[in-house]
Amino acid sequence: PSADATPQPVRLVFFEDDSIALGAHALTVVQDAAAAAARSPMAMVRVAGFVAPEPGHAPIVALARARAEHVAAELERFGVARTRIQVQGRGAATFAADAPIEARRVEIRIGAN
């Protein structure tokens, strides 16, 4: 099998509330994802953004997409061709009551997973 068929873990990038800024740990996750994408040059890279659900807060999908676009731009900066990156703002995500940061995330999926 080719390197592109190797299962890849989903990489998670977390954000502060109402932010698209990437901290040092988040940048490390993105850089790791870019390196994994380089090892699978034919695999697509899917980037999906999420936010914590806020009743009556309309721009949540826009924030989710902005987070995903920011991560995609960083992947590109680390060498992933933009033509390989699919970006999606997914909107609100569920989370454990004691861990709202779980919903404020971007998922990076490389290949078939």
Side-chain angles (χ1 to χ4, degrees):
S2 73
D4 293 340
T6 304
Q8 292 284 324
V10 175
R11 288 160 176 86
L12 301 174
V13 178
F14 295 103
F15 294 83
E16 293 299 319
D17 199 22
D18 293 328
S19 175
I20 66 166
L22 294 172
H25 178 72
L27 277 174
T28 299
V29 173
V30 174
Q31 195 167 14
D32 174 66
R39 291 188 298 273
S40 298
M42 300 305 292
M44 290 303 295
V45 179
R46 288 181 299 288
V47 180
F50 297 88
V51 295
E54 297 178 48
H57 194 251
I60 59 175
V61 173
L63 177 58
R65 180 151 185 102
R67 287 176 173 163
E69 289 287 353
H70 188 65
V71 169
E74 289 299 311
L75 285 166
E76 188 175 9
R77 186 171 72 89
F78 288 125
V80 179
R82 183 66 183 163
T83 56
R84 294 180 56 200
I85 303 171
Q86 298 173 338
V87 177
Q88 186 176 30
R90 299 288 303 271
T94 58
F95 60 93
D98 60 342
I101 196 166
E102 290 177 3
R104 298 188 307 262
R105 70 181 188 274
V106 164
E107 296 177 354
I108 304 171
R109 298 175 184 269
I110 300 166
N113 61 350

